[in-house]
Amino acid sequence: GENVEQHPSTLSVQEGDSAVIKCTYSDSASNYFPWYKQELGKRPQLIIDIRSNVGEKKDQRIAVTLNKTAKHFSLHITETQPEDSAVYFCAPHSGGGADGLTFGKGTHLIIQP
Amino acid sequence: EAQVTQNPRYLITVTGKKLTVTCSQNMNHEYMSWYRQDPGLGLRQIYYSMNVEVTDKGDVPEGYKVSRKEKRNFPLILESPSPNQTSLYFCASSLVGLTDTQYFGPGTRLTVL
């Protein structure tokens, strides 16, 4: 199965600054790269995803960039706000039907006022 | 309203007492799965189902059973719960498979004494 690692495990940034979270994966056949956000006490929810035919995708303050050669993709959050405080998970996959889904262990993003 | 529901939301039980956590989705999704979430370990997949009557083990299936008799329901069964199964459990569904958005239920917090 996929070996997924996220870095850092905890990230503390000042409100208004940018945050970057990196996800590395092992399966070169992976072609779907999502990021999920889990606020405290809530369920994970998809915030942005990218497919392998695209190198970058942006949605307002968040963006995802993909480096297929190096097998990693990153979540970028600009102009961070208190509501960005959460745990973020990546879950890359190739779409193969026989495999399950492996999530990264998560990155706890703390926005300091 | 499109949603994934789980019941119960909270459960305290004792070692060895069989229990079932129900999961239901009303989005006609084919793929359903169960995850457990533990501090520092992220989301780990227990079992998944690509369609009715098709189930497969995830990364941590020991001590759990599932069934998929109907498309909308995917119950998680603990035949003889043990304290190491104390965790937060999430059910999730997606339209077709692992390169689609995973929609999570609200979570079930289980404590086994």
Side-chain angles (χ1 to χ4, degrees):
Chain A
E2 182 87 87
N3 185 23
V4 181
E5 291 190 1
Q6 272 183 246
H7 294 281
S9 56
T10 303
L11 178 61
S12 181
V13 300
Q14 290 292 126
E15 183 177 345
D17 287 349
S18 296
V20 182
I21 302 169
K22 186 176 180 179
C23 180
T24 61
Y25 59 94
S26 60
D27 187 354
S28 57
S30 291
N31 58 15
Y32 178 64
F33 308 95
W35 284 99
Y36 289 82
K37 175 184 181 182
Q38 186 180 25
E39 297 176 13
L40 188 63
K42 301 282 184 65
R43 72 191 80 184
Q45 289 188 293
L46 180 78
I47 55 169
I48 194 165
D49 58 9
I50 196 170
R51 299 191 187 266
S52 60
N53 57 342
V54 178
E56 181 174 351
K57 183 177 178 180
K58 193 172 181 180
D59 182 4
Q60 299 184 327
R61 295 186 300 107
I62 61 172
V64 55
T65 57
L66 172 63
N67 185 329
K68 284 213 77 179
T69 304
K71 289 191 280 187
H72 65 75
F73 62 111
S74 298
L75 175 68
H76 305 255
I77 305 175
T78 58
E79 300 172 17
T80 52
Q81 300 172 4
E83 55 264 35
D84 296 327
S85 291
V87 179
Y88 293 81
F89 296 97
C90 62
H93 203 269
S94 64
D99 293 333
L101 186 60
T102 299
F103 280 78
K105 286 185 168 50
T107 296
H108 186 193
L109 177 61
I110 301 165
I111 308 300
Q112 303 277 9
Chain B
E1 179 191 352
Q3 59 182 348
V4 180
T5 57
Q6 291 178 232
N7 282 292
R9 295 289 313 280
Y10 303 90
L11 179 60
I12 300 174
T13 189
V14 296
T15 298
K17 187 176 180 182
K18 180 179 178 180
L19 66 92
T20 299
V21 184
T22 65
C23 173
S24 184
Q25 51 91 7
N26 63 1
M27 296 173 278
N28 201 36
H29 284 174
E30 291 188 359
Y31 185 91
M32 297 186 74
S33 57
W34 277 101
Y35 299 88
R36 60 178 290 172
Q37 186 172 31
D38 303 288
L41 298 178
L43 292 155
R44 293 181 293 166
Q45 194 173 47
I46 302 170
Y47 268 96
Y48 61 97
S49 169
M50 300 293 288
N51 215 324
V52 175
E53 301 293 358
V54 179
T55 62
D56 278 296
K57 296 178 181 179
D59 293 325
V60 288
E62 295 77 21
Y64 305 94
K65 284 175 58 177
V66 293
S67 68
R68 187 94 182 271
K69 294 185 172 61
E70 306 163 285
K71 197 171 189 178
R72 63 183 293 129
N73 296 323
F74 191 46
L76 179 69
I77 303 155
L78 285 72
E79 294 269 2
S80 182
S82 62
N84 64 12
Q85 293 178 297
T86 292
S87 187
L88 177 60
Y89 291 86
F90 286 100
C91 178
S93 73
S94 64
L95 184 61
V96 175
L98 301 170
T99 55
D100 296 311
T101 303
Q102 302 294 310
Y103 293 89
F104 286 83
T108 295
R109 186 164 293 282
L110 172 65
T111 301
V112 183
L113 302 174

Coordinates of all heavy atoms in Angstrom, one line a residue, chain A residues 31-32 34 36 38 41-46 49 51 87 89 91 93-106, chain B residues 3-4 9 31 35 37 40-45 48 50 56-59 88 90 98-107:
Chain A
N31 N -2.5 9.4 -8.5 CA -2.9 10.4 -9.5 C -4.0 11.3 -8.9 O -4.6 12.2 -9.6 CB -3.4 9.8 -10.8 CG -4.6 8.8 -10.5 OD1 -5.2 8.8 -9.5 ND2 -4.9 8.0 -11.5
Y32 N -4.3 11.2 -7.6 CA -5.3 12.0 -6.9 C -4.7 12.5 -5.6 O -4.2 11.6 -4.8 CB -6.6 11.2 -6.7 CG -7.6 12.0 -6.0 CD1 -8.2 13.2 -6.6 CD2 -8.1 11.6 -4.8 CE1 -9.2 13.9 -5.9 CE2 -9.1 12.3 -4.1 CZ -9.6 13.5 -4.7 OH -10.6 14.2 -4.0
P34 N -5.6 14.8 -2.4 CA -6.5 15.7 -1.7 C -6.0 16.2 -0.3 O -5.1 15.5 0.2 CB -7.7 14.8 -1.4 CG -7.1 13.4 -1.3 CD -5.9 13.4 -2.1
Y36 N -7.6 17.3 3.5 CA -8.7 17.4 4.3 C -8.4 18.2 5.6 O -7.3 18.2 6.1 CB -9.2 16.0 4.8 CG -9.8 15.1 3.7 CD1 -9.0 14.4 2.8 CD2 -11.2 15.0 3.6 CE1 -9.5 13.7 1.8 CE2 -11.7 14.3 2.6 CZ -10.9 13.6 1.7 OH -11.5 12.9 0.7
Q38 N -9.7 19.1 9.5 CA -10.5 18.6 10.6 C -10.4 19.6 11.8 O -9.4 19.7 12.4 CB -10.1 17.2 11.1 CG -11.0 16.7 12.2 CD -10.6 15.3 12.7 OE1 -9.4 14.9 12.6 NE2 -11.5 14.5 13.2
G41 N -13.1 18.6 17.3 CA -14.4 18.1 17.6 C -15.3 17.8 16.4 O -16.4 17.5 16.5
K42 N -14.7 18.1 15.2 CA -15.5 17.9 14.0 C -15.0 16.8 13.1 O -14.0 16.2 13.4 CB -15.5 19.2 13.2 CG -16.0 20.5 13.9 CD -17.5 20.5 14.0 CE -18.0 21.8 14.6 NZ -17.7 23.0 13.8
R43 N -15.7 16.5 12.0 CA -15.3 15.5 11.1 C -14.4 16.1 10.1 O -14.4 17.3 9.8 CB -16.6 14.9 10.4 CG -17.2 15.9 9.4 CD -18.6 15.4 8.9 NE -19.6 15.7 9.9 CZ -20.9 15.3 9.8 NH1 -21.2 14.6 8.7 NH2 -21.8 15.6 10.7
P44 N -13.5 15.2 9.4 CA -12.6 15.7 8.3 C -13.5 16.1 7.1 O -14.5 15.5 6.8 CB -11.8 14.5 8.0 CG -11.8 13.7 9.2 CD -13.2 13.9 9.8
Q45 N -13.1 17.2 6.5 CA -13.8 17.6 5.3 C -12.8 18.0 4.2 O -11.7 18.7 4.5 CB -14.7 18.9 5.6 CG -15.9 18.5 6.4 CD -16.9 19.6 6.5 OE1 -16.6 20.7 7.2 NE2 -18.0 19.5 6.0
L46 N -13.1 17.7 3.0 CA -12.2 18.0 1.9 C -12.1 19.5 1.7 O -13.2 20.2 1.7 CB -12.7 17.4 0.6 CG -11.8 17.7 -0.7 CD1 -10.6 16.8 -0.7 CD2 -12.7 17.4 -1.9
D49 N -8.3 19.6 -3.7 CA -7.7 18.4 -4.3 C -7.1 18.8 -5.7 O -7.5 19.8 -6.3 CB -8.6 17.2 -4.4 CG -9.9 17.5 -5.2 OD1 -9.9 18.6 -5.9 OD2 -10.8 16.7 -5.2
R51 N -5.4 16.7 -9.4 CA -5.2 15.5 -10.1 C -3.9 15.6 -10.8 O -3.4 16.7 -11.0 CB -6.3 15.2 -11.0 CG -7.6 15.0 -10.2 CD -8.8 14.4 -11.0 NE -10.0 14.4 -10.1 CZ -10.4 13.4 -9.3 NH1 -9.7 12.3 -9.3 NH2 -11.4 13.5 -8.6
V87 N -6.5 20.5 12.2 CA -5.5 19.4 11.7 C -5.8 19.2 10.3 O -7.0 19.0 9.9 CB -5.7 18.1 12.6 CG1 -4.7 17.1 12.1 CG2 -5.5 18.4 14.0
F89 N -5.0 16.8 6.8 CA -4.5 15.5 6.4 C -4.5 15.4 4.9 O -5.3 15.9 4.2 CB -5.6 14.4 6.8 CG -5.7 14.2 8.3 CD1 -6.8 14.9 9.0 CD2 -4.9 13.4 9.0 CE1 -7.0 14.7 10.3 CE2 -5.1 13.2 10.4 CZ -6.1 13.9 11.1
A91 N -4.2 12.5 1.6 CA -4.6 11.1 1.3 C -4.4 10.8 -0.1 O -5.4 10.6 -0.9 CB -6.0 10.9 1.8
H93 N -3.8 8.9 -3.7 CA -4.2 7.6 -4.2 C -4.1 7.4 -5.7 O -4.2 8.4 -6.4 CB -5.6 7.2 -3.7 CG -5.9 5.8 -3.6 ND1 -6.4 5.1 -4.7 CD2 -5.6 4.9 -2.6 CE1 -6.4 3.8 -4.3 NE2 -6.0 3.6 -3.1
S94 N -3.9 6.2 -6.1 CA -3.8 5.9 -7.5 C -5.1 5.6 -8.2 O -5.3 5.5 -9.4 CB -2.9 4.7 -7.7 OG -3.4 3.6 -7.2
G95 N -6.2 5.3 -7.3 CA -7.5 5.0 -7.9 C -7.6 3.5 -8.1 O -8.7 3.0 -8.5
G96 N -6.6 2.7 -7.8 CA -6.7 1.2 -7.9 C -7.7 0.7 -7.0 O -7.8 1.0 -5.9
G97 N -8.6 -0.3 -7.5 CA -9.7 -0.7 -6.7 C -9.3 -1.7 -5.6 O -10.0 -1.9 -4.7
A98 N -8.1 -2.3 -5.7 CA -7.8 -3.3 -4.7 C -7.2 -2.7 -3.4 O -7.1 -3.4 -2.4 CB -6.8 -4.3 -5.3
D99 N -6.8 -1.5 -3.4 CA -6.1 -0.9 -2.3 C -7.1 -0.1 -1.4 O -8.1 0.5 -1.9 CB -5.0 0.0 -2.7 CG -3.9 -0.8 -3.4 OD1 -3.7 -2.0 -3.0 OD2 -3.2 -0.2 -4.2
G100 N -6.8 0.0 -0.2 CA -7.5 0.9 0.7 C -6.9 2.3 0.6 O -6.2 2.6 -0.3
L101 N -7.3 3.1 1.6 CA -6.9 4.5 1.6 C -6.0 4.8 2.8 O -6.4 4.5 3.9 CB -8.1 5.4 1.5 CG -7.8 6.9 1.4 CD1 -7.1 7.2 0.1 CD2 -9.2 7.7 1.4
T102 N -4.8 5.4 2.6 CA -3.9 5.7 3.7 C -3.9 7.2 3.8 O -3.5 7.9 2.9 CB -2.5 5.1 3.4 OG1 -2.6 3.7 3.3 CG2 -1.6 5.5 4.6
F103 N -4.2 7.7 5.0 CA -4.1 9.1 5.3 C -2.7 9.4 5.9 O -2.1 8.5 6.6 CB -5.1 9.6 6.3 CG -6.5 9.8 5.7 CD1 -7.3 8.7 5.3 CD2 -7.0 11.1 5.4 CE1 -8.6 8.9 4.8 CE2 -8.2 11.3 4.8 CZ -9.0 10.2 4.5
G104 N -2.2 10.6 5.7 CA -1.0 11.0 6.5 C -1.4 11.2 7.9 O -2.6 11.2 8.3
K105 N -0.4 11.3 8.8 CA -0.7 11.3 10.3 C -1.3 12.7 10.7 O -1.7 12.8 11.9 CB 0.5 11.0 11.1 CG 0.8 9.5 11.0 CD 2.0 9.1 11.9 CE 2.1 7.6 12.1 NZ 2.1 6.8 10.9
G106 N -1.3 13.6 9.8 CA -1.9 14.9 10.1 C -0.9 16.0 10.6 O 0.2 15.7 11.1
Chain B
Q3 N -26.0 13.3 3.3 CA -25.2 13.2 4.5 C -24.9 11.7 4.8 O -25.4 10.8 4.3 CB -26.0 13.7 5.7 CG -27.3 13.1 6.0 CD -28.1 13.7 7.1 OE1 -27.5 14.5 7.9 NE2 -29.3 13.4 7.3
V4 N -23.9 11.6 5.7 CA -23.5 10.3 6.3 C -23.8 10.4 7.8 O -23.4 11.3 8.4 CB -22.0 10.0 6.1 CG1 -21.6 8.7 6.7 CG2 -21.6 10.1 4.6
R9 N -23.4 8.2 18.8 CA -22.4 9.2 18.7 C -21.4 8.9 19.8 O -20.2 9.2 19.7 CB -22.9 10.6 18.8 CG -23.8 11.0 17.6 CD -23.0 11.2 16.3 NE -21.8 12.0 16.6 CZ -21.8 13.3 16.7 NH1 -23.0 14.0 16.6 NH2 -20.7 14.0 16.9
Y31 N -18.7 3.5 -2.6 CA -17.6 3.2 -1.7 C -17.9 3.7 -0.3 O -18.3 4.8 -0.1 CB -16.3 3.9 -2.2 CG -15.1 3.6 -1.5 CD1 -14.3 2.5 -1.9 CD2 -14.7 4.3 -0.4 CE1 -13.1 2.2 -1.2 CE2 -13.5 4.0 0.3 CZ -12.7 3.0 -0.1 OH -11.6 2.6 0.5
Y35 N -12.9 4.2 9.6 CA -11.6 4.6 10.1 C -11.7 4.7 11.6 O -12.7 5.0 12.2 CB -11.2 6.0 9.6 CG -11.1 6.0 8.1 CD1 -12.2 6.3 7.3 CD2 -9.9 5.8 7.4 CE1 -12.2 6.4 5.9 CE2 -9.8 5.9 6.0 CZ -11.0 6.1 5.3 OH -10.9 6.2 3.9
Q37 N -9.5 6.9 14.7 CA -8.6 8.0 14.8 C -8.1 8.0 16.3 O -8.9 8.1 17.2 CB -9.3 9.4 14.5 CG -8.3 10.5 14.6 CD -9.0 11.8 14.1 OE1 -10.2 12.1 14.2 NE2 -8.2 12.7 13.5
G40 N -1.9 11.2 17.5 CA -0.6 10.9 16.9 C -0.6 9.9 15.8 O 0.5 9.7 15.2
L41 N -1.7 9.2 15.6 CA -1.7 8.1 14.6 C -2.6 8.5 13.4 O -2.6 7.7 12.4 CB -2.2 6.8 15.2 CG -1.3 6.2 16.3 CD1 -1.9 5.0 16.8 CD2 0.1 6.0 15.8
G42 N -3.3 9.6 13.4 CA -4.1 10.0 12.3 C -5.3 9.1 12.1 O -5.8 8.5 13.0
L43 N -5.7 9.0 10.9 CA -6.9 8.2 10.5 C -6.4 6.9 9.9 O -5.6 6.9 8.9 CB -7.7 9.0 9.5 CG -8.5 10.2 9.9 CD1 -8.7 11.1 8.8 CD2 -9.8 9.8 10.6
R44 N -6.8 5.8 10.5 CA -6.4 4.5 9.9 C -7.6 3.7 9.5 O -8.6 3.6 10.2 CB -5.6 3.7 11.0 CG -4.2 4.4 11.4 CD -3.5 3.5 12.4 NE -4.2 3.6 13.7 CZ -4.0 2.7 14.7 NH1 -3.0 1.8 14.6 NH2 -4.6 2.8 15.8
Q45 N -7.5 3.2 8.3 CA -8.7 2.5 7.7 C -8.8 1.1 8.3 O -7.8 0.3 8.3 CB -8.5 2.5 6.2 CG -9.8 2.1 5.5 CD -9.6 2.2 4.0 OE1 -8.7 1.7 3.4 NE2 -10.6 2.8 3.3
Y48 N -13.1 -1.5 4.2 CA -13.8 -0.7 3.2 C -14.6 -1.6 2.3 O -14.5 -2.8 2.3 CB -12.8 0.1 2.4 CG -11.8 -0.7 1.6 CD1 -11.9 -1.0 0.3 CD2 -10.6 -1.1 2.2 CE1 -11.0 -1.7 -0.4 CE2 -9.6 -1.8 1.6 CZ -9.8 -2.1 0.2 OH -8.8 -2.8 -0.5
M50 N -16.3 -1.7 -1.7 CA -16.4 -1.0 -3.0 C -17.8 -1.1 -3.5 O -18.2 -0.3 -4.4 CB -15.5 -1.7 -4.0 CG -14.0 -1.7 -3.7 SD -13.3 0.0 -3.7 CE -13.3 0.3 -5.5
D56 N -13.4 -5.4 2.1 CA -11.9 -5.7 2.1 C -11.3 -5.1 3.4 O -11.8 -4.1 3.9 CB -11.2 -5.1 0.9 CG -11.3 -6.0 -0.3 OD1 -10.8 -7.2 -0.2 OD2 -11.9 -5.6 -1.3
K57 N -10.3 -5.7 3.9 CA -9.6 -5.2 5.0 C -8.7 -4.0 4.7 O -8.1 -3.9 3.7 CB -8.6 -6.3 5.6 CG -9.4 -7.6 6.1 CD -8.4 -8.6 6.5 CE -9.1 -9.9 7.0 NZ -8.1 -10.9 7.4
G58 N -8.7 -3.1 5.7 CA -7.9 -1.9 5.6 C -6.6 -2.2 6.3 O -6.1 -3.4 6.4
D59 N -6.0 -1.2 7.0 CA -4.7 -1.3 7.6 C -4.9 -2.0 9.0 O -3.9 -2.6 9.5 CB -4.1 0.0 7.8 CG -3.6 0.6 6.4 OD1 -3.3 -0.2 5.5 OD2 -3.7 1.8 6.2
L88 N -11.9 7.1 18.5 CA -12.9 7.8 17.8 C -13.1 7.2 16.4 O -12.1 7.0 15.7 CB -12.5 9.3 17.6 CG -13.4 10.2 16.8 CD1 -14.8 10.3 17.5 CD2 -12.8 11.6 16.8
F90 N -14.8 6.9 12.5 CA -15.5 7.7 11.5 C -15.9 6.7 10.4 O -15.1 5.9 9.9 CB -14.6 8.8 10.9 CG -14.4 10.0 11.8 CD1 -13.3 10.1 12.5 CD2 -15.4 10.9 11.8 CE1 -13.1 11.2 13.3 CE2 -15.2 12.0 12.6 CZ -14.1 12.2 13.4
L98 N -11.6 5.8 -4.5 CA -10.6 6.5 -3.7 C -10.1 7.8 -4.3 O -9.3 8.5 -3.7 CB -9.5 5.5 -3.3 CG -10.0 4.3 -2.5 CD1 -9.0 3.3 -2.4 CD2 -10.5 4.7 -1.2
T99 N -10.5 8.0 -5.5 CA -10.1 9.3 -6.2 C -11.3 10.2 -6.2 O -11.4 11.1 -7.1 CB -9.5 9.1 -7.6 OG1 -10.5 8.3 -8.3 CG2 -8.2 8.3 -7.5
D100 N -12.3 10.0 -5.3 CA -13.4 10.9 -5.2 C -13.4 11.5 -3.8 O -12.8 10.9 -2.9 CB -14.8 10.2 -5.3 CG -14.9 9.6 -6.7 OD1 -14.7 10.4 -7.7 OD2 -15.3 8.5 -6.9
T101 N -14.1 12.6 -3.6 CA -14.2 13.2 -2.2 C -14.7 12.1 -1.2 O -15.8 11.5 -1.5 CB -15.1 14.4 -2.3 OG1 -14.6 15.3 -3.2 CG2 -15.2 15.0 -0.9
Q102 N -14.1 12.0 -0.1 CA -14.6 11.2 1.0 C -15.5 12.0 1.9 O -15.0 13.1 2.4 CB -13.4 10.6 1.8 CG -12.4 9.7 1.0 CD -13.1 8.5 0.5 OE1 -13.7 7.7 1.2 NE2 -12.9 8.2 -0.8
Y103 N -16.7 11.6 2.1 CA -17.6 12.3 3.0 C -17.7 11.6 4.3 O -18.1 10.4 4.3 CB -19.0 12.4 2.3 CG -19.1 13.3 1.1 CD1 -18.8 12.8 -0.2 CD2 -19.3 14.7 1.2 CE1 -18.8 13.6 -1.3 CE2 -19.4 15.5 0.1 CZ -19.1 14.9 -1.2 OH -19.1 15.7 -2.3
F104 N -17.4 12.3 5.4 CA -17.3 11.6 6.7 C -18.6 11.8 7.5 O -19.2 12.8 7.4 CB -16.1 12.2 7.4 CG -14.8 11.7 7.0 CD1 -14.2 12.3 5.9 CD2 -14.2 10.6 7.6 CE1 -12.9 11.9 5.4 CE2 -12.9 10.2 7.1 CZ -12.3 10.8 6.0
G105 N -18.9 10.8 8.3 CA -19.9 10.9 9.3 C -19.4 11.7 10.4 O -18.3 12.1 10.5
P106 N -20.3 12.0 11.4 CA -19.9 12.9 12.5 C -19.0 12.2 13.6 O -18.5 12.9 14.4 CB -21.3 13.2 13.2 CG -22.1 12.0 12.8 CD -21.7 11.6 11.5
G107 N -18.8 10.9 13.5 CA -17.9 10.3 14.4 C -18.6 9.6 15.6 O -19.7 10.0 16.0

